[in-house]
Amino acid sequence: MIYLKTDEEIELLRESNLIVARTLAEVAKYIQPGVTTKYLDQIGEDYIRSCGAVPSFLNYNGYPASLCISVNDVVVHGIPSVNQVLKDGDIVSVDCGAYKNGFHGDSSYTFRVGDVDEKVVSLLRVTKEALYLGIEQAVDGHRLGDVSNAVQNHCQRKGYSVVREMVGHGIGRHLHEEPEVPNYGKKGSGPMLKSGMVIAIEPMINMGNRHIMIERDGWTARTTDRKPSAHFEHTVAIRKGKADILSSFDYIKEVLGDRFI
Ligand code: CO
């Protein structure tokens, strides 16, 4: 069943999502060659707690960290590690969840580390564009398949492939609620979107083929062809006419300045 949130609940969701947005920006300040992903996780966890929130991912189904930090060919769910040192030319997806006042926020952004190959920068740009094209479809009276199709079309038209095994999700009192939000699908298919539904849209887009494997840690999702993958995520409330984006990349933009994509 898909829960409809009241306006008051949506404001609480916005508060949690703004904590996530500010956490991503705080982490962004430290992203550079030489830092470990474990260090970034500590920055993120400390910031989330300083806001009076709790990291949503920590201990979720046994997940051992506060952020998911996924480098290059890791699609999502990379576990922060002291052994993973960022280097010039890497891309790094930082996925963050925060829980406060009974509601979760969830958003992610893929950053560049130093100078990144133009081809990989295009992958980032197209994935982020696809996210916003999906959000444009996330309005009352449309179907979920319209969102999925917008994301898939844009990425495939540019020659990239869409990960199937992992999807976006409803979000609210639980990190993962119904409905599942695939990044592929047919226009006019799936559940009808209604004002008050809140979903996390999170395209996971590969430079090579769509196939992934889960590593033996039970979490790390990596492309089988070892080519790079990008991931951007917003939490949005369905409304009449235009979705309300509850998370935000504005704080990241302030930190990155003209390096913001
Ligand atoms: Co999510």
Side-chain angles (χ1 to χ4, degrees), residues 57 95 106 168-169 175-176 200 202 233:
F57 302 167
D95 190 351
D106 188 6
H169 48 95
L175 178 61
H176 293 148
E202 49 180 319
E233 176 175 19

